[in-house]
Amino acid sequence: MKWEENVRKVVPYVAGEQPNRPNMIKLNTNECPYPPAPAVGRLARELDYDACRLYPDLGSRTLVEALAAYYHVEPARIFVGVGSDDVLSMAFMTFFNSGRQILFPDVTYSFYDVWAGLHKIPYHTCPLGEDWHICPADYRQPNGGIVFPNPNAPTGLLESLDTVEEIVAANRDVVVIVDEAYIDFGGDSALALLEKYDNLLVVGTFSKSRAMAGMRIGFCIGGEKLIGYLNDVKFAFNSYTMNLPAQLLGAAAVREDGYFKETVGKIISTRERTKGKLQELGFSFPDSRANFIFATHESIPAKQIYQALKEADIYVRYWDKPRISEYLRITIGTEEQMDQLLLFLEAYVAHHGKDTLEK
Ligand code: PMP
């Protein structure tokens, strides 16, 4: 068919499975196992649904102002979107237009190459080192922009603020996007560098540490000029992206800082306990600072464990891709969920692990 020649052909992103059965354990998409802040629930119950008759506030002011107060920046330096996926896609479209290849790690968030494809942006991937760390020297080659998560996904490894600064400072002529989806679980935010670098954009999300993946709220903070350009593109694309409940409930979540810190603290302590137990069972992993662990077993193939877990209704993430096909990405759930996972793995390793095979 002739018309097919002019279709924008894209390879879509493959999200983690989203089954929803009562007693399943879902550790495959890095959601928060705890509910959103109580204030979010209260406000959700009181929401004035009459207000849905009208279009929502174009500038999402309530949400932007709550974020501005929280991060101590001017509202004009904040852009919000429908999850950080929306923010990142908009940023790719806005900033990566030089025709030169953009750079990101070879093992990273698998949406980056999808957006590059969608927006027709050439790209080059820089291999992570053997230790899974970013090699800053790779980001000194000519490029049309840079994007990487910190901590990285799916490895969970955190780069120091010095490494982030080295990359931003060496690339003043292009925009550098630092995707901080997981920064609240134990890293120093690149927000601290914003005063020095007008080419830096720091992206965040409410989907992980703020337990609101279903509300679809993401944001980014950068210089006023960068944010202005992002807004121009957004308003040329779809003016009313943020719905009213997302704007109001998002703001309520930001204001309840005590609950946020408590939740993040619980996840970090469960993560550290889980690391110890996984090690005892023969797993190894980069030292995660995110809400997941990227683990490989000394003798059992990752795919086999993934499938066995799935049959037991425990979902983790697995990619049959170069370099990472021996790894499972395990989201940190509640203490009880991790106990169930570990109990299953203990029995599984006892039956299928190295010692058993050698006997
Ligand atoms: N960046 C990274 C590194 C992620 O892992 C995710 C979650 N899949 C996102 C961005 C997007 O999250 P959301 O759109 O829910 O904000």
Side-chain angles (χ1 to χ4, degrees):
M1 282 156 286
K2 190 93 179 123
W3 59 262
E4 262 190 306
E5 286 168 20
N6 298 315
V7 168
R8 182 178 295 251
K9 299 193 186 69
V10 291
V11 181
Y13 173 72
V14 183
E17 297 151 283
Q18 295 292 357
N20 186 11
R21 282 189 295 282
N23 292 316
M24 69 173 296
I25 299 182
K26 191 171 179 304
L27 307 174
N28 69 337
T29 48
N30 298 342
E31 289 138 329
C32 178
Y34 303 107
V40 174
R42 280 196 300 275
L43 188 60
R45 285 187 287 276
E46 287 161 14
L47 264 186
D48 170 13
Y49 272 89
D50 261 8
C52 292
R53 188 172 57 80
L54 303 174
Y55 283 108
D57 176 40
L58 273 167
S60 304
R61 264 171 307 178
T62 309
L63 177 60
V64 166
E65 277 162 19
L67 285 166
Y70 188 80
Y71 288 111
H72 308 292
V73 295
E74 289 299 310
R77 302 185 64 169
I78 300 179
F79 175 84
V80 293
V82 187
S84 56
D85 282 341
D86 179 43
V87 174
L88 285 160
S89 178
M90 282 283 151
F92 272 52
M93 199 177 359
T94 308
F95 301 118
F96 296 159
N97 292 295
S98 68
R100 290 193 303 277
Q101 60 190 15
I102 62 163
L103 306 176
F104 49 84
D106 63 339
V107 176
T108 195
Y109 185 31
S110 51
F111 224 139
Y112 297 158
D113 54 354
V114 173
W115 287 315
L118 172 67
H119 299 303
K120 302 186 195 277
I121 301 163
Y123 67 92
H124 172 73
T125 56
C126 305
L128 296 175
E130 281 303 308
D131 60 358
W132 295 115
H133 274 289
I134 284 178
C135 310
D138 290 346
Y139 296 84
R140 288 182 179 271
Q141 60 187 300
N143 67 74
I146 291 169
V147 57
F148 60 90
N150 196 34
N152 196 6
T155 62
L157 261 192
L158 180 77
E159 298 300 339
S160 71
L161 215 45
D162 284 347
T163 300
V164 175
E165 180 162 12
E166 190 182 333
I167 295 172
V168 180
N171 289 280
R172 296 302 301 265
D173 293 342
V174 298
V175 173
V176 179
I177 301 175
V178 184
D179 176 356
E180 294 193 344
Y182 303 102
I183 198 73
D184 296 327
F185 300 105
D188 292 328
S189 171
L191 288 174
L193 303 174
L194 277 179
E195 290 313 317
K196 268 165 91 176
Y197 301 98
D198 64 357
N199 60 321
L200 170 65
L201 192 71
V202 181
V203 180
T205 178
F206 283 45
S207 299
K208 320 293 178 183
S209 54
R210 295 194 184 278
M212 293 178 78
M215 265 290 140
R216 310 305 299 127
I217 306 172
F219 63 95
C220 66
I221 306 182
E224 225 176 296
K225 215 163 182 175
L226 282 192
I227 299 302
Y229 280 123
L230 258 180
N231 271 314
D232 287 349
V233 169
K234 176 242 161 106
F235 287 118
F237 190 78
N238 178 1
S239 313
Y240 298 106
T241 52
M242 302 298 289
N243 68 58
L244 180 67
Q247 294 185 22
L248 301 180
L249 299 178
V254 177
R255 292 194 205 104
E256 206 163 329
D257 198 36
Y259 177 85
F260 166 73
K261 294 213 166 83
E262 188 189 316
T263 306
V264 166
K266 279 199 286 194
I267 293 168
I268 292 174
S269 99
T270 307
R271 177 187 73 203
E272 296 307 310
R273 183 180 74 93
T274 306
K275 283 181 187 172
K277 294 274 184 196
L278 285 175
Q279 245 158 2
E280 285 170 23
L281 296 175
F283 286 91
S284 57
F285 36 83
D287 189 26
S288 168
R289 294 296 170 90
N291 67 337
F292 55 84
I293 297 173
F294 191 54
T296 184
H297 192 263
E298 60 189 8
S299 61
I300 313 175
K303 195 173 191 170
Q304 185 186 322
I305 305 176
Y306 161 75
Q307 266 152 358
L309 282 167
K310 193 167 162 175
E311 276 158 34
D313 236 6
I314 302 175
Y315 280 71
V316 300
R317 193 85 199 263
Y318 172 76
W319 290 271
D320 207 345
K321 281 189 179 175
R323 282 195 91 181
I324 59 171
S325 59
E326 277 315 323
Y327 283 80
L328 300 169
R329 192 195 66 189
I330 306 167
T331 303
I332 303 301
T334 60
E335 285 282 300
E336 297 71 32
Q337 288 176 323
M338 299 322 271
D339 279 343
Q340 288 191 51
L341 168 86
L342 292 164
L343 215 62
F344 178 92
L345 288 176
E346 198 177 303
Y348 196 79
V349 168
H351 278 97
H352 304 268
K354 191 169 63 188
D355 294 346
T356 331
L357 297 178
E358 278 167 2
K359 269 176 208 158

